[in-house]
Each structure stands twice: as C-alpha cells, then as structure tokens.
C-alpha cells in the first residue's frame, strides 16, 4: 500500500520535475518534489548513522563523503565513519531499520528529505540508504561561490528486482581493476546484479585447486585466483551487489574439454580407418582453446558419468566462493553436432526415451540441479534450457530476438506462462553497438502479452550483456558506459519515463560522474587516437570519430574469424562509440533547419559541413606519418565530397543532377572502411 501511494504521488509530480534542467538524476526517482531554498555545504558537514544496518553502510557513507569532498574541494572535517550514532548533531542523518541481505526481494526503498539546515535519509535497510546516497550526490548543484543541495523530498524504490550487467571475462580476460570499477558504476546507477561469465570456449577463468589442469591448460595464465574472487565478492557486497557466476555447459565446452577431453562428445577416427568413441579402452579426442569468435561444436558428453562427477567436484569448489543464491549454467547455443555423430550418445537417448537433443540437454541440466542445490544455489540458464521437464525452480534468461529468428522476448513470455521466473536480455546486448535509444525504449515488461498479475511477478527484471569478442580492458568501459546508465533507468524508474531527449541531456552529466568513479569510457578514447595518430595532434581524428560509429551487430567480426582473441583492439573502430556526438547534434540542426529555414538555422548546418571538409584535409596531412590513419581516408573523403555538394545545394548552386546527388549521399552509407560507418547518412538524406 505504501508503494501504491508513492506511485500515485509520483504520477502527479514526476512529469513536471523531468523538465527541471538543473537536475541530472539517473535513474529518475519514483517521486520528487522540489521546494524553495537550499542546503549549502560547508567544511563542517558531517554524517551520522542510526538504526540497525549492515556494517556496509559505514564504508558506503565514507565513500559518499570522500566523493562529495573530491567534487567540491571543501576539505570536510569528518574523515571516516565507523560506528552508529557517532555524531548525533550531524547535518546528514541516515536511519536504517534493519540489515540488508544481498539478494532479490530485499526492500531497497529510501526517502530523502532535504531542508535548509538538515538532510534526513530514511531507509528500511542499508541497501536503500546506499541508493539514497547516490541520489544525493546526483542532486549536488553549484553557483559561482558555493555548492548546495536543493531543498526537496524524494521517495524512491526500484520497479524491478533484477537490474543486472553481464561481463564476459572468457573471450577477453578482464582484470580485477576492470571488474571493480564497473561494480562502482553499477552501484552508482542503483543496479544490483553482476553476472560474471567466467567460462566459455576461449578460456577457463577460475582458479580450481582440486582441478589445476583447468587453469594450467585452458586459461593461458589469465584467470582469477580464489582470493581475488573472494575480494571481488566482498567489494560487490559492500556496494549492495549480488554476483551471479556462470560456467557455460554443456556447449561452449572447448576450454573445459582442453583440460578434460575424456568427457567430450566428439567421435574420432583412428589411422586404421575405424571409428572409435571416447569410452573405456578407446582413443580420446583432443581439444584446444578457441581463438576465434563464434559457435563451436565441442560439447560435454551427457551420457558419461564422469561428466557429472567432474562438474559436481567443480561446483563443490566454486560455489562456496559465491555466497549468492543463484548460479548460471549457460546452456546456450548447443548445436548437438557431436551428439548426433556419437553412437553411444544416440543409444543413451534411446535408452532414456529422449527424442530430441533438446530433451537430452534437459536431462543434462536436471542432473546439475541437485549439485547446485547442495550449496543453496538456484539454477539459472539461457533460454535454451526451457522445456516441459525443467525444474520450476530454474530461472530462464531470455536473450534471443529477430537476429535469431524469433520475436523479441518471446521466450520470456513463454517462460512466465509456464510458471518460470525470468530475466530479459534481448534488447540490452550492448556489445552490438546499437544506439542508446533502442535499449532505453525496450521494457522488460511486454506490453501486449496479456499476462496475469502472477505471471508479471515472475518477470524479475533485465540484464545488459557485454560479450567481449571485440572488447579489451582498455575499451570495455566505452562499450558498457554510458548506455548502461540509461538501461539502469529502464529497470528502476516508472514505466512512463521514456523521453529520449531528456534522457540524453541528463546522461551527458551522468557520464562525467561515472568517469569520476574511475571508469575509462571517456579518457581512453584519446589513448587509442594518439596511437592511431602516431602521437601527433589528434584533433582531426577526434572530430571524425564524432561522426563515426562502429559497425553494428556482429558485422565487424566477419564470419567469426576476422578477429582472434589476441588480435589488436587499438584501431579507429575501437575509439568510436554508438550515438556519435556530432552526428546527433547535426541531426538536430538539420531537423530545425527543415522546420524553419532561417539564416541562423542554416548556419548551424553549414558549420558542420565546413568542419568535415576541413577534417578530410587534415586527416590526409596526418596520414603522411601515421599509417593507421590510411584506412579511414576513403570514408573521410566520401563525407567531405557529400558535404561540399550539400553546401552548394543549400545555396541553390548545386550543378549535380538529383540522381547523381543521391548517389553521392548513398556512398556515405558504406560499411567497407575501417569497421565503422558514418552516422550522418540519415541526416544527409533528409537534406536532399
């Protein structure tokens, strides 16, 4: 009832408040009311904590104080917050009723009341208090002489209980510092789940002391020690984040089978021409770590008891590292080719009355349920695990869409109607380099599915997915942020907060605040461009990158073989990001000009066109001593040629026939240069 009242109140206030230009809140709260006056910060500003919270609130409040002091440079007198009711007279009073537990279904709500001389943050648990502190940081304003919080009242809670990010550490290993800084980003955006994809064809990333062959033979020496994993789990816990580990089985099995080929499904042919299976007394196939991206055939043998013995022993060692209640077993993209070719497995299917490979995989999956339950874990897997015989305790992770020949979120609806809890990732694949708008307007709750209230409750939320075929530790942040902040808003905020223009405006500030946390999505762009420029001036490269975006989907990695796991990710496409800054600004300028062709609006358009003509000339000069600039020159020329003709068109001086002009513009839609595309093509078409 309390939430319903807040939502009703939110409906009356949120719409007006989203127009307040001075606020860059993200995710946008359920309810916010601005009052007259401000709370002005001084060096005497202190924090006090009361109630019965988890001790994580002391670290959280101390980090809040340091971040606030770092932003304002005020030199607060208070240093570390270590115990309850330390400063009863403090200006910021944090009151928590109980200790929060890391997991789902916890009360994450908070109420923030800012008055001229006092700030009160009330929360049921410390988890909600941590969220409230992030909102308070985002509320910070300033004038020419002081920093202040606007007097206001905020009541807030999440719309969905699963608000996650997956990072794939198998295809490109992501060191501890990368994981930690992204956990900081998640906490800042009120996200509460980190899905850690640790095992795939390209590598095994978990130290397993009882099975050392996994790291000796299948990790290239790139793995997390158990101590590092415990440290990261603690780091996440301190920020209110649940970690869900993933070991992908039975497909995507190259790394596991490199160490333990005896549990593989592949049939091999001996030199004598006779076909043998990997059964007792016969030859065993060999496997190797996969260096390419794609879907591969190595698959665990579901008919071999040794498969389950090994997995049980692995879970016995790995599960205790992760205190959370969920364990992801993958289960995706098993084509079953090795199963089909293995007579022993076919005989096993017949014996157990398993008609299809899907039913065989369900048999396999169900053997894992008690192994995980032994450690208090619920099984979670990608949507391919969904069959009529799957345990109702399993969580179905919906990921496929039009690219895979199905309707968006189709498996999500099927799962909830069959009684399963589910999480949506289709629409949130941030590695595909799609524009932020496409993610922001995708909702975990399907609009036309005719679901009952009970079925809707099974939709836990959503998860952004960052596969790393084309992401290194130096570039991964720019692929995750700032778009994931907008996705976080979709998971937290009211359903009707969908104004894309307003989101973009707020996100610009939020992006800088994420960099303040240590994320490298902004700063590392210059590092890459300096490499491309051979340490020359990067101004022209920067300008050109602001109208270019990486190829979308998986078209950059043609046929799954163009980039290997050791290939360089230091090229122009790696410096570019979705939502190219100048392309967005140019489109807005074109739209305004077409509505009202004033000299001022025309000048906004022509300024861009003239700049791109100059950029082309500067890139040609730069390339004389920078070989890595050469691949982008054809695209820069197409942009320049089109810009020159559009300038003539705007002055009614173009001598080109309409068909020739259209052909020139179409050349700006090419995908053939440097793995990038010009993001101004659509705007150019509008002009002609």
């Amino acid at each position: 009832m309390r939430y319903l009242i807040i939502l009703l109140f939110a409906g009356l206030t949120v719409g007006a408040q989203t127009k307040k230009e001075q606020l860059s809140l993200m995710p946008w709260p359920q309810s916010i009311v601005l009052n007259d006056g401000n709370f002005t910060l001084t060096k005497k500003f202190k924090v006090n904590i009361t109630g019965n919270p988890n001790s994580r609130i002391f670290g959280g409040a101390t980090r809040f104080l340091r971040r606030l002091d770092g932003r304002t440079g005020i030199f607060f007198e208070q240093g570390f917050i270590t115990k309850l009711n330390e400063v009863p007279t403090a200006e910021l009073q944090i009151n928590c009723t109980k200790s929060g537990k890391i997991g789902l279904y916890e009360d994450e709500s908070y109420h923030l009341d800012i008055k001229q001389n006092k700030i009160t943050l009330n929360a049921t648990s410390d988890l909600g208090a941590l969220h409230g502190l992030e909102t308070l940081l985002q509320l910070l304003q300033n004038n020419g002489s002081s920093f202040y919080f606007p007097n206001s009242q905020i009541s807030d809670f999440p719309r969905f209980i699963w608000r996650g990010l997956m990072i794939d550490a198998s295809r490109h290993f992501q060191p501890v510092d990368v994981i930690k800084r992204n956990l900081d980003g998640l906490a800042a955006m009120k996200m509460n789940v980190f899905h850690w994809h640790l095992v795939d064809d390209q590598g095994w990333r978990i130290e397993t002391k009882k099975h050392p062959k996994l790291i000796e033979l299948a990790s290239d020496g790139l793995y997390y020690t158990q101590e590092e994993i415990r440290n990261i789990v603690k780091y996440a816990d301190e920020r209110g984040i649940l970690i869900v580990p993933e070991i992908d089985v039975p497909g995507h099995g190259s790394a596991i089978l490199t160490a333990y080929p005896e549990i593989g499904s592949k049939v091999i042919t001996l030199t004598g021409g006779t076909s043998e299976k990997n059964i007792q007394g016969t030859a065993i196939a060999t496997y190797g770590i996969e260096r390419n991206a794609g879907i591969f055939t190595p698959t665990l043998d579901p008919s071999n008891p040794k498969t389950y013995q090994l997995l049980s022993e692995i879970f016995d060692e790995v599960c205790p590292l992760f205190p959370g209640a969920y364990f992801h077993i993958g289960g995706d993209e098993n084509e079953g080719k090795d199963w089909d070719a293995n007579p022993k497995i076919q005989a096993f299917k017949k014996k157990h009355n398993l008609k299809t490979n899907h039913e065989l995989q369900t048999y396999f999956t169900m053997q894992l349920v008690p192994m995980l339950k032994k450690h208090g874990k619920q099984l979670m897997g990608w949507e391919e695990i969904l069959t009529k015989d799957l345990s109702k305790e399993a969580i179905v992770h919906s990921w496929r869409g039009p690219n895979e020949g199905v309707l968006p979120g189709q498996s999500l609806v099927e799962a909830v109607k069959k009684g399963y809890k589910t999480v949506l990732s289709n629409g949130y694949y941030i590695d595909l380099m799609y524009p932020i708008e496409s993610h922001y307007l995708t909702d975990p709750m399907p609009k036309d599915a005719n679901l009952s209230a009970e079925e809707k409750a099974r939709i836990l939320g959503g998860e952004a997915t960052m596969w790393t075929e084309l992401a290194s530790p130096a570039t991964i942040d720019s692929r995750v942020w700032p778009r994931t902040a907008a996705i976080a808003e979709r998971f937290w905020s009211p359903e009707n907060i969908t104004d894309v223009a307003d989101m973009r405006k707020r996100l610009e500030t939020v992006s800088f605040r994420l960099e303040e946390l240590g994320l490298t999505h902004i700063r590392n762009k210059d590092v890459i461009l300096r490499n491309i420029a051979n340490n020359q001036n990067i101004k022209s490269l920067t300008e050109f990158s602001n109208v270019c975006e990486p190829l979308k989907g998986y078209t950059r990695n043609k046929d799954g073989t163009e980039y290997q796991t050791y290939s360089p990710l230091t090229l122009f496409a790696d410096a570019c990001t979705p939502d190219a800054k100048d392309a967005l600004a140019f489109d807005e300028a074109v739209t305004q000009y077409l509505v009202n062709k004033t000299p001022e609006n025309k000048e906004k358009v022509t300024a861009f066109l003239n700049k791109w003509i100059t950029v082309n000339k500067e890139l040609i000069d730069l390339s004389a001593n920078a070989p890595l600039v050469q691949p982008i020159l054809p695209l820069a020329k197409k942009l320049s040629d089109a810009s020159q003709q559009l300038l003539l068109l705007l002055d009614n001086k173009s001598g080109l026939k309409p068909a020739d002009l259209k052909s020139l513009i179409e050349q700006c839609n090419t995908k053939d240069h440097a793995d990038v595309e010009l993001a101004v093509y659509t705007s150019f078409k509008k002009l002609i």
Side-chain angles (χ1 to χ4, degrees):
M1 178 59 70
R2 174 165 59 95
Y3 281 1
L4 288 174
I5 292 172
I6 291 173
L7 277 174
L8 181 62
F9 191 57
L12 299 174
T13 61
V14 169
Q17 296 309 312
T18 55
K19 298 175 184 176
K20 297 285 186 180
E21 292 184 1
Q22 72 271 34
L23 297 182
S24 294
L25 302 178
M26 189 172 285
W28 193 262
Q30 300 288 341
S31 166
I32 176 169
V33 177
L34 290 178
N35 301 315
D36 292 337
N38 302 306
F39 177 100
T40 301
L41 282 167
T42 71
K43 67 178 182 178
K44 295 187 179 298
F45 177 76
K46 290 183 176 66
V47 181
N48 189 54
I49 300 169
T50 62
N52 187 34
N54 185 285
S55 60
R56 72 172 65 88
I57 191 61
F58 299 124
T62 300
R63 289 192 300 274
F64 159 82
L65 202 56
R66 296 287 73 76
R67 287 164 64 191
L68 185 60
D69 210 3
R71 198 179 296 175
T72 62
I74 290 176
F75 285 75
F76 296 139
E77 294 174 353
Q78 188 175 25
F80 295 87
I81 303 161
T82 59
K83 59 185 179 181
L84 291 173
N85 211 26
E86 218 168 16
V87 190
T89 59
E91 292 87 349
L92 172 55
Q93 295 287 331
I94 302 174
N95 309 308
C96 304
T97 307
K98 67 170 188 175
S99 174
K101 296 179 181 179
I102 300 300
L104 308 184
Y105 305 104
E106 283 289 290
D107 189 336
E108 299 179 75
S109 64
Y110 67 91
H111 182 82
L112 192 58
D113 188 4
I114 303 174
K115 293 185 169 63
Q116 197 153 340
N117 57 1
K118 186 176 183 180
I119 302 173
T120 305
L121 173 56
N122 291 320
T124 302
S125 78
D126 46 89
L127 300 175
L130 291 176
H131 297 322
L133 289 174
E134 294 294 345
T135 298
L136 188 55
L137 278 168
Q138 291 184 355
L139 278 170
L140 183 67
Q141 307 292 306
N142 68 274
N143 53 33
S145 58
S146 64
F147 292 89
Y148 59 89
F149 299 112
N151 289 354
S152 52
Q153 291 178 306
I154 294 177
S155 293
D156 204 10
F157 58 89
R159 183 171 167 228
F160 292 101
I161 60 173
W162 190 295
R163 308 179 305 281
L165 167 68
M166 185 219 74
I167 288 181
D168 166 22
S170 177
R171 290 172 177 85
H172 275 95
F173 181 71
Q174 304 299 327
V176 170
D177 64 313
V178 174
I179 302 300
K180 284 187 172 181
R181 70 192 186 217
N182 277 280
L183 287 170
D184 285 330
L186 292 182
M189 292 298 106
K190 302 181 176 64
M191 298 177 83
N192 65 337
V193 177
F194 173 55
H195 172 181
W196 203 356
H197 187 84
L198 289 160
V199 175
D200 214 297
D201 291 294
Q202 292 78 6
W204 178 281
R205 306 300 182 198
I206 314 166
E207 180 188 24
T208 43
K209 295 179 179 178
K210 295 177 182 176
H211 297 87
K213 285 200 296 184
L214 286 167
I215 55 173
E216 291 169 1
L217 301 177
S219 75
D220 292 320
L222 299 170
Y223 62 90
Y224 304 99
T225 68
Q226 293 192 7
E227 188 56 37
E228 285 174 330
I229 290 173
R230 292 189 188 96
N231 182 267
I232 288 172
V233 169
K234 181 175 182 291
Y235 195 89
D237 181 290
E238 291 168 348
R239 286 150 182 79
I241 296 170
L242 166 72
I243 293 186
V244 178
E246 179 182 352
I247 294 177
D248 201 348
V249 288
H252 289 278
S254 300
I256 298 176
L257 297 177
T258 296
Y260 292 96
E262 61 269 26
I263 65 167
S265 302
K266 183 168 32 174
V267 175
I268 67 169
T269 302
L270 300 180
T271 54
T274 57
S275 178
E276 295 286 353
K277 283 78 68 180
N278 53 339
I279 57 177
Q280 297 85 348
T282 63
I284 296 174
T286 58
Y287 297 85
I289 300 173
E290 188 54 62
R291 304 301 183 185
N292 296 325
I295 303 171
F296 306 98
T297 57
T299 310
L300 278 60
D301 182 354
S303 70
N304 188 345
K306 290 183 178 179
T307 301
Y308 304 109
Q309 179 184 344
L310 177 64
L311 288 176
S312 181
E313 292 170 357
I314 288 172
F315 288 140
D316 285 346
E317 187 169 5
V318 173
C319 283
L321 299 174
F322 300 95
Y326 308 94
F327 203 107
H328 206 298
I329 57 92
D332 60 314
E333 297 181 324
N334 173 22
E335 296 178 324
K337 292 178 180 178
D338 284 354
W339 289 358
D340 292 337
N342 190 319
K344 174 174 166 280
I345 293 176
Q346 292 307 305
F348 183 87
K349 283 173 64 177
K350 187 173 182 180
K351 177 182 177 182
H352 289 82
N353 195 30
L354 303 170
K355 296 181 176 60
T356 66
N357 284 340
H358 202 180
E359 291 182 8
L360 176 59
Q361 180 157 327
T362 302
Y363 173 91
F364 169 88
T365 302
M366 291 303 296
Q367 308 313 302
L368 307 188
V369 171
M371 298 180 198
L372 295 171
K373 205 165 189 178
K374 171 183 175 183
H375 298 282
K377 311 292 186 195
Q378 278 183 254
L379 182 146
M380 181 177 186
W382 301 105
E383 64 184 65
E384 288 94 325
I385 70 171
L386 179 61
T387 61
K388 58 184 176 62
D389 297 321
L390 181 67
S391 166
K392 285 291 192 279
E393 294 182 0
I395 297 176
V396 176
H397 196 164
S398 175
W399 72 274
R400 291 187 293 187
N403 286 342
E404 294 74 35
V406 298
L407 294 174
Q410 178 179 324
S411 61
L412 179 136
V413 174
E414 291 177 0
V416 297
K417 285 187 175 294
K418 292 177 179 177
Y420 295 95
K421 294 175 182 176
T422 184
V423 171
L424 181 67
S425 275
N426 180 260
Y428 307 123
Y429 266 52
I430 49 179
D431 64 309
L432 296 179
M433 299 288 107
Y434 291 152
I436 198 169
E437 182 175 351
S438 68
H439 304 307
Y440 189 64
L441 298 180
T442 296
D443 199 291
M445 189 65 66
K447 287 182 170 52
D448 303 316
N450 193 27
L451 300 177
S452 68
E454 184 180 3
E455 289 166 341
K456 288 180 179 179
R458 296 189 193 117
I459 299 175
L460 303 180
E463 191 174 286
T465 43
M466 183 60 227
W467 301 104
T468 59
E469 287 94 339
L470 295 169
S472 70
T475 64
I476 187 170
D477 293 2
S478 70
R479 276 65 187 124
V480 175
W481 306 104
R483 287 177 300 154
T484 296
I487 295 172
E489 180 157 283
R490 180 56 47 241
F491 297 161
W492 178 285
S493 300
E495 185 179 3
N496 64 346
I497 303 298
T498 56
D499 186 323
V500 174
D502 180 69
M503 175 271 291
R504 288 191 191 279
K505 176 178 65 68
R506 290 180 285 125
L507 189 64
E508 188 170 351
T509 299
V510 169
S511 184
F512 291 132
R513 295 310 181 199
L514 288 167
E515 186 182 42
E516 176 188 288
L517 286 168
L519 288 160
T520 64
H521 60 296
I522 299 174
R523 70 189 72 171
N524 275 9
K525 177 176 180 176
D526 283 2
V527 175
I528 297 171
L529 293 181
R530 279 194 293 272
N531 176 66
I532 295 169
N534 197 20
N535 207 31
Q536 300 176 84
N537 190 299
I538 63 171
K539 178 178 176 293
S540 58
L541 275 172
T542 301
E543 298 282 13
F544 193 53
S545 73
N546 287 338
V547 293
C548 292
E549 297 177 356
L551 294 183
K552 297 170 178 59
Y554 294 117
T555 53
R556 177 176 174 182
N557 204 20
K558 294 175 182 176
D559 302 322
T561 58
E562 191 173 37
Y563 281 80
Q564 283 75 42
T565 53
Y566 45 78
S567 297
L569 293 169
T570 54
L571 307 179
F572 186 68
D574 302 300
C576 296
T577 60
D579 304 288
K581 179 181 177 182
D582 281 0
L584 290 170
F586 179 67
D587 189 67
E588 184 177 347
V590 168
T591 300
Q592 290 175 352
Y593 170 73
L594 293 177
V595 170
N596 188 1
K597 295 183 179 181
T598 63
E600 293 77 15
N601 285 342
K602 179 183 175 182
E603 170 58 28
K604 291 177 183 177
V605 174
T606 58
F608 281 108
L609 299 175
N610 282 311
K611 178 167 67 172
W612 297 330
I613 294 168
T614 301
V615 163
N616 177 55
K617 296 174 183 175
E618 292 174 345
L619 288 173
I620 293 171
D621 292 341
L622 187 67
S623 70
N625 190 32
L628 290 178
V629 175
Q630 295 288 341
I632 66 175
L633 293 182
L635 195 59
K637 184 178 186 305
K638 294 178 191 297
L639 177 63
S640 176
D641 290 346
S643 296
Q644 291 179 56
Q645 289 302 320
L646 288 171
L647 283 173
L648 293 172
L649 179 70
L650 291 172
D651 288 335
N652 296 313
K653 295 178 181 178
S654 177
L656 286 182
K657 296 178 181 178
D660 292 335
L661 179 58
K662 182 179 179 183
S663 176
L664 189 66
I665 299 301
E666 285 300 316
Q667 291 180 40
C668 293
N669 193 31
T670 179
K671 309 290 193 294
D672 295 333
H673 305 291
D675 289 330
V676 297
E677 59 186 62
L678 289 172
V680 294
Y681 165 69
T682 302
S683 304
F684 279 1
K685 285 205 302 181
K686 290 180 184 178
L687 279 176
I688 64 168

